[in-house]
């Protein structure tokens, strides 16, 4: 799960949601497709639920019932609908392998070689359920979901390429942001790897902007509390953006709404420099750019005292339990690793 840069309170206090461009999304909400919606939309979108009209895909009937009962009526979303079924490259049926840890369930069988090698937990098969498959392009064309799929989140444990193949038209005509889990070794049978997804999305006109919440695995022959070593990349959430500023003509023929939806995605995902860059390139009228930049700075500001407090808390924990010093330090690094690097910032001394 992607580590949010800020929460709902911070977004409200920044004043971003009070600006005219943001208020307009309350009248015409952003279409968010959530594929693999178990437990509800990602936390990053919960910072501003009122600007999202969510179409959630969930093939497990029990989970679909929970989503409709617990999230649909009172989640604060501009809209929330559940599509009962799975997505694929076309129309058909699939075998949903329901595993002991529900969010590990997949349309692909588990690759026991890798789950055994790395001692994965929660991958025990409980039952197999036959589920209907449809292409996202067909669902949106036939069911008339308006502006759906401006932002797409996919977390399906190995079926990513098949879903993307069934969404070619949607990717070309609607989507400006795709967040897709990618794997670096096949812990499901026949699982596409990160390189396959990146190649597909690059061909579709998207740029890989980041690998967030990267998870590593090892065989744990060395105790992490006492030894330092590197581990193998396992999986991450890949962020793909249709960035018009990658091209010399800038926004060019990009519609204002598309640019502003991309700006929303950039803000919620933490790519704040990109949000400012889009605003200056014409995504916002000139008169709105300064208030927008001020709000972004309020949102992103970090008080030095808060950083000192974090460091002092870490130091206190290390002093209290020296044997856990490496683990406590690593946990702080884990919390911060998805944010900006500072190797290009000269030291003051």
């Amino acid at each position: 799960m992607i580590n949010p840069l800020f929460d709902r309170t911070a977004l409200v206090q920044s004043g971003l949601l009070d600006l005219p461009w943001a208020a307009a999304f309350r009248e015409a909400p952003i279409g968010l497709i959530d594929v693999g919606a178990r437990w509800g939309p990602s936390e990053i979108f919960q910072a501003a639920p009122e600007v999202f009209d969510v179409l959630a895909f969930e093939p497990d009937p029990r989970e679909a019932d929970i989503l409709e009962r617990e999230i649909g009526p009172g989640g604060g979303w501009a809209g929330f609908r559940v599509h009962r079924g799975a997505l694929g490259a076309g129309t058909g049926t699939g075998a949903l392998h329901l595993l002991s840890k529900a969010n590990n369930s997949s349309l692909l069988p588990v690759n026991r070689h890798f789950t055994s090698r790395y001692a994965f937990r929660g991958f025990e098969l409980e039952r197999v359920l036959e589920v209907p498959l449809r292409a996202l392009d067909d669902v949106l064309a036939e069911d008339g979901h308006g502006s759906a799929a401006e932002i797409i989140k996919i977390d399906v444990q190995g079926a990513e390429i098949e879903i993307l193949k069934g969404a070619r038209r949607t990717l070309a005509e609607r989507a400006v942001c795709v967040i897709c889990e990618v794997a670096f070794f096949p812990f499901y049978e026949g699982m596409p790897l990160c390189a396959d997804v990146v190649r597909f999305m690059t061909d579709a006109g998207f740029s890989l902007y980041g690998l967030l919440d990267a998870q590593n695995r090892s065989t744990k022959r060395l105790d992490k509390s006492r030894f330092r070593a590197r581990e193998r990349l396992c999986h991450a959430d890949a962020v793909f953006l249709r960035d018009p500023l990658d091209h010399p003509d800038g926004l060019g023929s990009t519609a204002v709404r598309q640019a502003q939806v991309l700006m929303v995605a950039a803000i919620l995902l933490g790519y704040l420099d990109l949000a400012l860059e889009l605003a200056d390139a014409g995504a916002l009228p000139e008169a709105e750019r300064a208030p927008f930049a001020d709000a972004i700075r309020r949102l992103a500001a970090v008080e030095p005292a808060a950083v000192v407090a974090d460091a002092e808390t870490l130091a206190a924990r290390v002093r209290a339990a020296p044997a856990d010093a490496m683990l406590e330090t690593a946990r702080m690094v884990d919390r911060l690793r998805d944010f900006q690097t500072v190797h290009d910032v000269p030291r003051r001394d």
Side-chain angles (χ1 to χ4, degrees):
M1 182 178 292
I2 296 175
N3 185 15
L5 184 60
F6 45 79
D7 59 15
R8 168 73 176 177
T9 299
L11 189 64
V12 170
Q13 291 177 347
S14 74
L16 273 170
L17 293 176
D18 298 324
L19 298 178
W21 70 276
F25 284 124
R26 293 189 181 92
E27 299 297 322
I30 297 167
L32 170 62
I33 295 288
D34 191 337
V35 189
R38 185 180 298 273
W39 302 332
S42 172
E43 190 178 352
I44 59 171
F45 302 113
Q46 293 175 23
E50 68 271 33
V51 304
F52 290 106
D53 183 10
V54 183
L55 178 59
F57 288 82
E58 179 49 57
D60 183 345
R62 297 176 189 174
E63 184 61 28
D65 288 342
I66 294 171
L67 288 171
E68 288 184 333
R69 183 173 64 250
E70 297 185 2
I71 296 180
W77 304 94
F80 186 88
R81 295 157 290 162
V82 178
H83 186 282
R84 293 169 175 266
L87 292 178
T91 301
T93 59
L96 179 62
H97 300 78
L98 293 166
L99 306 182
S100 54
K101 187 176 180 183
N103 61 319
N104 291 334
S105 299
S106 174
L107 289 168
L108 301 177
V110 171
N111 187 331
R112 294 298 173 190
H113 171 72
F114 283 104
T115 57
S116 175
R117 180 182 179 186
Y118 294 111
F120 282 13
R121 298 176 182 175
F123 281 76
E124 296 77 23
L125 180 65
E126 294 196 337
R127 62 193 176 101
V128 178
L129 180 67
E130 187 176 281
V131 296
L133 294 175
R134 295 184 70 195
L136 180 59
D137 284 344
D138 294 339
V139 172
L140 297 183
E142 295 171 13
D143 297 347
H145 286 295
S147 63
E150 291 174 304
I151 299 176
I152 302 174
K153 167 254 171 184
I154 303 174
D155 184 357
V156 291
Q157 309 299 308
E160 294 81 10
I161 286 289
E162 294 303 298
I163 290 171
L164 293 169
K165 287 179 180 176
R168 293 182 191 274
R169 185 168 64 250
T170 300
L171 293 173
E173 297 176 359
R174 304 191 190 192
V176 298
C177 171
V178 176
I179 305 163
C180 180
E181 189 176 52
V182 294
F184 298 91
F185 58 86
F187 45 94
Y188 297 94
E189 298 285 352
M191 185 181 205
L193 299 183
C194 179
D196 303 310
V197 177
V198 171
R199 187 178 305 111
F200 184 97
M201 292 302 294
T202 300
D203 290 345
F206 287 78
S207 302
L208 175 62
Y209 248 72
L211 295 172
L212 306 183
D213 191 30
Q215 303 286 312
N216 302 332
R217 293 293 184 272
S218 70
T219 56
K220 297 184 175 64
R221 282 165 166 75
L222 295 175
D223 182 348
K224 292 184 183 181
S225 68
R226 298 173 51 225
F227 301 97
R228 180 178 289 121
R230 288 194 170 100
E231 297 181 302
R232 182 178 189 173
L233 267 173
C234 180
H235 62 87
D237 290 305
V239 175
F240 297 97
L241 303 180
R242 187 179 289 280
D243 183 359
L245 302 183
D246 279 352
H247 308 287
D249 59 347
L251 293 186
S253 60
T254 302
V256 170
R257 179 179 174 94
Q258 281 187 309
Q260 292 187 350
V261 170
L262 180 58
M263 204 161 62
V264 171
I267 292 169
L268 295 181
L269 288 163
Y271 295 105
L272 302 181
D273 263 35
L274 173 60
L276 292 167
E277 191 181 10
L278 287 164
D280 288 340
L284 290 182
E286 189 169 355
E288 295 182 28
R289 294 174 194 170
F292 176 76
D294 289 342
I296 289 288
R297 292 188 181 96
R298 285 193 295 272
L299 181 67
V302 178
E303 292 294 332
V307 180
V308 171
D310 276 352
E312 289 177 342
T313 298
L314 174 62
R317 287 177 176 168
V318 167
R319 283 193 294 268
D324 291 335
M326 287 209 334
L327 292 179
E328 291 294 345
T329 304
R331 287 188 179 108
M332 176 176 278
V333 172
D334 282 348
R335 182 164 55 86
L336 299 174
R337 75 167 72 246
D338 281 345
F339 304 141
Q340 73 263 40
T341 60
V342 296
H343 59 84
D344 55 346
V345 181
R347 290 184 178 273
R348 289 187 178 141
D349 54 4

